[in-house]
Amino acid sequence: MAAIESDVSAIIQSNAQESEHISTAKKLGLWNMWVAFTAFIIALPMGLYQVAERSDLFPALESAQVYYASISTHGVLMAYVFSTFFIMGFGYHTAGYSLQQKLWSTKFAWSGFIIALFGVVLAAIPLLTGNASVMYTFYPPEVGHPIFYIGATLLIVGSWFWSVDMIVAMTQWKKANPGKVVPLVMFGVTINALLWLWTSAGVAAEVVFQIIPVTLGLTETFDPGLARTLFSWTLHAIVYFWLFPAYIVMYSIMPKEAGGKLFSDEMGRVAFVMLFIFSVPIGFHHLYMDPQQAAGWKLLHMFGTFMVAVPTLITGFTILATLEISGRLRGGKGLLGWVSRIKWDNPVVLGTALAMLMLTVGGWGGVINASYSMNSLIHNTQWVPGHFHLIYGGTTVIMYFAVAYWLWPKIIGRALYSNKMALIQLWSWFFGMWITTAPWHILGLLGQPRRVNTLPYDTAIAALWDPYEMVMLAGSLLLTVSGFLFIINLVMTHLNTRKQDDMSVTYAVAVHQPMHVPKLLNSLSFWNWAMLCYMIISYGYPIIQFAFIGTPQSTPWSY
Amino acid sequence: MKNKEHEIVLSEDEQRKILESSPRGTWAILAIYAVIFTLSWLYFWFGLFVNHGPVK
């Protein structure tokens, strides 16, 4: 009798613990994601305004001051706030559900959230008042108000709390479950957390040692060459930090939603590890035209950049094969007959397919950017923002939408307001992104420069650009409408009286679900050391050289 | 891509065959993509970059 009572007590205690960690995962997930999507919807109409202003077709909108304040706010909100908070929310939710254990410190997690949010509010003040119109790239000699940089630094520091939380969660789980395979979804989240620590170190060093001392008047000058080198450390890898959750969802959530199985769990792990190792030490393809780095280093980074294509190709193959399995399990026959049998009415499945379609072209554009000599065709032209909007705004953000449609009902317990609206929204975002970015790429090839609000050049040449700008305007309008549809659907879901039937959160199973995987695909320590070695090789000398090359009238490390 | 409700019941054998067979449709799509990718890159190299010549 005592034993039964003890068992019941243990079960009650276990359920209470489960409720607590699930409740924490839901709260952290929801709060972080709402901050993310609020930033998104504030920044979205700014994009439409910028396209309209730059087109020179609306004289009433002409204002360089407003344009640069707007583009800086749009960039910071979309690239740093939206992405970072979404990734943190997704990570906390994933840690709670996939590991089924408590976070090691809920207070620590909320502290990180509050610090990051406080940083965003702080940075917003100079941004919105036009005192930090330096765009989002932190490139000196442009400098904004110190509060902007202090706020941005706090955002990064807050996100480091999340990174630590994820790494500790996986470590604790491994200790409690010796010999077991870390769930693929959490392996991906944790390796992305580690990637973020590595990635953000470059810009953190730039801001703390170079920009903030100058903006506070502690030093008089800095070295733009060093600042650009440090920012290149962050600038490309950050794209993979944003993209990582999209890949994680494709591997670990989409297969189940599609009614099938993941083609290979191990290929997912290999892709994650490769993405981690190859994405950080390759930033010099952003500096191909910069004089402060030698051609040999740029060539080394070029080869490194091409290597990033490998995990992307692995992912393309695995995800397409997974979709094929699901289509065939639903009766698809022949070479391509399975395509029509895929569950296109599921937002996660549709989002995955649309994301992959944008990734194929965006990835190809990335190879052009990375090719050392061909980069001169498109360097600092409109091709570049066209490219990163297709990859980030297209591939990545459409998966963020898909995740939200999947997660929201499971977090708040109310059914999604409208699945049909969700599908229309995903399609309209997809077409809006193509209509915006295709002419954007072409404008770059026609020589239109980026980062300028007005184009008072040769009238005949500028006239050639007009039709493309008109098309871009239509695309931007469609994107804006689509973005608002997304937010309306989420808000209406909160107001929905219909309860969500299926509250379970489960992850995909592979065709051959591994009971054991090689240690290197179940642990991060080796890859962390490998990253250190690779970073020393590719960034060691290029950074140290600033200590002795003596750039005239500059202070490299604020000494 | 119009979705229909497919309530097709496959036998265990049929399911196993699907799960263990090579994804030939995927290979076909990737082969087409590889050809388009290569041709586009070559067009950029020879058609746009090399053909452009030095900046005047």
Side-chain angles (χ1 to χ4, degrees), chain A residues 191-412:
Chain A
I191 208 163
N192 195 31
L194 190 59
L195 171 66
W196 178 235
L197 289 177
W198 276 101
T199 301
S200 52
V203 70
E206 181 201 355
V207 170
V208 172
F209 293 111
Q210 294 235 289
I211 297 179
I212 289 180
V214 167
T215 55
L216 290 176
L218 302 174
T219 53
E220 286 184 2
T221 64
F222 42 47
D223 190 329
L226 174 59
R228 289 177 65 83
T229 301
L230 288 171
F231 194 66
S232 81
W233 168 327
T234 297
L235 186 55
H236 200 73
I238 198 172
V239 176
Y240 295 98
F241 169 64
W242 303 333
L243 189 60
F244 230 111
Y247 281 16
I248 294 168
V249 173
M250 290 176 189
Y251 279 104
S252 56
I253 295 170
M254 183 279 290
K256 195 163 187 294
E257 292 297 297
K261 289 187 174 185
L262 174 64
F263 181 73
S264 166
D265 179 283
E266 288 91 338
M267 280 172 91
R269 288 169 199 274
V270 169
F272 292 165
V273 165
M274 289 177 90
L275 211 54
F276 172 70
I277 284 295
F278 293 136
S279 62
V280 190
I282 58 166
F284 279 17
H285 64 261
H286 290 263
L287 305 180
Y288 281 159
M289 301 297 154
D290 280 37
Q292 76 276 8
Q293 297 297 349
W297 291 108
K298 293 172 183 171
L299 197 69
L300 176 77
H301 281 238
M302 180 192 80
F303 289 124
T305 308
F306 287 146
M307 288 304 292
V308 183
V310 178
T312 301
L313 285 172
I314 290 174
T315 301
F317 174 81
T318 310
I319 299 309
L320 202 52
T322 301
L323 285 170
E324 180 173 349
I325 287 171
S326 74
R328 291 194 187 282
L329 286 173
R330 289 164 59 84
K333 304 274 184 205
L335 190 63
L336 297 173
W338 50 272
V339 175
S340 62
R341 301 297 178 105
I342 289 170
K343 285 170 84 170
W344 295 115
D345 57 352
N346 182 298
V348 175
V349 178
L350 178 65
T352 297
L354 300 181
M356 292 301 285
L357 282 169
M358 290 187 273
L359 185 64
T360 52
V361 179
W364 172 82
V367 172
I368 302 294
N369 300 343
S371 302
Y372 193 173
S373 48
M374 264 203 295
N375 180 276
S376 58
L377 266 180
I378 46 87
H379 198 89
N380 263 342
T381 69
Q382 294 288 16
W383 168 286
V384 180
H387 165 74
F388 70 66
H389 275 80
L390 187 57
I391 291 283
Y392 176 57
T395 302
T396 305
V397 170
I398 208 166
M399 287 308 290
Y400 290 4
F401 295 150
V403 171
Y405 291 134
W406 178 73
L407 264 181
W408 238 253
K410 293 175 189 295
I411 290 180
I412 65 170

Side-chain angles (χ1 to χ4, degrees), chain A residues 261 263 317 320-321 324-325 328-331 334-336 338-345 360 364 367-368 371 373-374 376-377 383 427 445 511-512, chain B residues 1-6 8 10 14-16 18-30 32-33 36-38 40-41 44-45 48-49 52:
Chain A
K261 289 187 174 185
F263 181 73
F317 174 81
L320 202 52
E324 180 173 349
I325 287 171
R328 291 194 187 282
L329 286 173
R330 289 164 59 84
L335 190 63
L336 297 173
W338 50 272
V339 175
S340 62
R341 301 297 178 105
I342 289 170
K343 285 170 84 170
W344 295 115
D345 57 352
T360 52
W364 172 82
V367 172
I368 302 294
S371 302
S373 48
M374 264 203 295
S376 58
L377 266 180
W383 168 286
W427 278 112
L445 290 172
V511 172
H512 300 289
Chain B
M1 286 192 183
K2 197 175 177 185
N3 203 59
K4 296 166 195 164
E5 198 50 51
H6 295 285
I8 290 166
L10 299 174
E14 286 172 317
Q15 286 189 33
R16 190 170 45 79
I18 288 168
L19 292 173
E20 291 183 357
S21 60
S22 173
R24 57 187 198 282
T26 298
W27 285 116
I29 292 170
L30 286 184
I32 294 165
Y33 175 63
I36 295 170
F37 187 104
T38 309
S40 311
W41 193 90
F44 262 65
W45 178 261
L48 297 181
F49 179 65
H52 187 283

